[in-house]
Each structure stands twice: as C-alpha cells, then as structure tokens.
Amino acid sequence: MFFTIPTIMTWTRIVAIPLIVGVFYAPLDPATRNLVATVLFIVFAATDWLDGFLARRLNQTSAFGAFLDPVADKFLVCASLLVLVYLRRADVFVGLTIIGREIAISALRAWMAQIGASRSVAVHMIGKLKTTVQMVAIPFLLYDGRLFGLIDTGVWGTWLIWAAAVLTVWSMVYYLRRALPEIRAKVR
C-alpha cells in the first residue's frame, strides 16, 4: 500500500513544502508571492481530507498510510509556521508552542503505542478543532492582505493563530491527562 492514490496524495503534502517555501524566494511581487503560497497551501491541505476519503472509498487504507498522514500534516503546518515566523507574520512564541506540542504529542503517541495503550491518546475533537483553526489561520497569514476588499487576513490570521496556540496547549494537556494513568500503571 505504498503507492496507492491516497498515499500518493499524502506524499504531495510533503513535496509541497519546498514549493511553498520557494515561492517566497521567487522573483515575484509580494502580493503574487502571497497569493501563490496561499493557493498552494490550501490545495495541498485539502488533500488531507481527500486522501482519507479516497482511502476509505477505494478500500485502500493501510498502516503505512495511517502513519504517513499525520506526519505529512505536521510537516506542512510546521514548515508553514516557520515561514510565517520568518516573515514576522506569526509570533515566535506561537510557532514554538505549536511545533513543540506536535513533537511532544507525536512522541507521547509513539510511546503509548509501544506500551500498548495507544487508545488513550487517540485523536479527540479538541485536536481536530486545533487543526481546523490552524488550517484557516495559516492561509490567512500567508495571504496577508485584504480578501474581497473586506477581510484583513493579517488581523484575522493573527487572532486565529493565537487561538490555535491556546487550543494547542489545551489539547496537549488533554492528551497528557489521558495518558497519565497508563504511564503510571507501566512505571510501577
């Protein structure tokens, strides 16, 4: 199941990273760079939903796909956050909080799987909400202009990325509290 349609779509999120970063080094005017990076992020982020849908629809689910999907999401989000911090469109504290949480929870999930307690840290609605807010905030901050002449995406993106940081901490606390009884039971 290494080269199914859903898995290839997941790989495209990883391939998208140098494209999104490279846009900001291209000899384009700033507004065009912002628009191209935003469109690329939205298109590749949409593959997250589409690859899962197709995997179920085409009966092409696999352990490898289940592993690669969240890794690709984290790479795309973390790389985009680093670009936004570099461009001074996102606060470094927000970037560190979100990226640090992703590393910590990934390590926690790996450890919980190793001790046979992965169900205790299964994806929860708070994690999904955090991801949704991030996935709206990031293209707003990449665009960094007025949308339809009305919406200041820089302002909205800033509010949303801070909300994502709060949800990030909240979800991390939730997962840690869920894992703590299992950890205590294995340590004894």
Side-chain angles (χ1 to χ4, degrees):
M1 292 298 207
F2 193 74
F3 286 112
T4 63
I5 292 170
T7 305
I8 291 169
M9 292 181 76
T10 302
W11 279 110
T12 65
R13 286 201 297 287
I14 295 170
V15 171
I17 294 166
L19 294 175
I20 292 170
V21 172
V23 164
F24 290 101
Y25 292 96
L28 303 168
D29 67 274
T32 303
R33 282 186 201 134
N34 292 348
L35 178 62
V36 171
T38 302
V39 169
L40 285 172
F41 181 87
I42 290 169
V43 166
F44 287 111
T47 65
D48 183 27
W49 173 82
L50 189 57
D51 65 12
F53 172 79
L54 288 174
R56 290 183 296 277
R57 182 78 171 209
L58 301 173
N59 197 27
Q60 293 182 343
T61 58
S62 68
F64 179 72
F67 158 76
L68 188 62
D69 185 66
V71 170
D73 296 343
K74 286 168 185 24
F75 278 161
L76 182 61
V77 166
C78 291
S80 298
L81 276 172
L82 290 173
V83 167
L84 292 170
V85 167
Y86 175 77
L87 295 172
R88 299 183 188 270
R89 296 180 192 174
D91 190 278
V92 70
F93 180 76
V94 169
L96 288 172
T97 300
I98 293 172
I99 293 169
R101 181 264 187 207
E102 297 302 345
I103 293 168
I105 296 304
S106 293
L108 178 66
R109 285 193 170 125
W111 187 25
M112 298 307 284
Q114 188 176 17
I115 65 172
S118 57
R119 296 197 100 170
S120 65
V121 288
V123 176
H124 184 266
M125 187 52 105
I126 187 69
K128 290 181 180 186
L129 179 60
K130 178 241 356 147
T131 300
T132 301
V133 174
Q134 280 178 180
M135 294 305 208
V136 174
I138 290 171
F140 271 27
L141 290 168
L142 287 170
Y143 187 72
D144 194 40
R146 293 195 88 62
L147 192 59
F148 309 118
L150 301 170
I151 300 167
D152 185 338
T153 63
V155 170
W156 278 95
T158 299
W159 281 101
L160 287 168
I161 203 69
W162 276 99
V166 169
L167 290 168
T168 293
V169 172
W170 184 6
S171 68
M172 184 171 69
V173 169
Y174 172 83
Y175 290 124
L176 289 171
R177 289 182 70 192
R178 296 272 310 187
L180 200 56
E182 297 288 344
I183 292 169
R184 285 185 178 145
K186 296 294 182 185
V187 171
R188 293 181 190 174

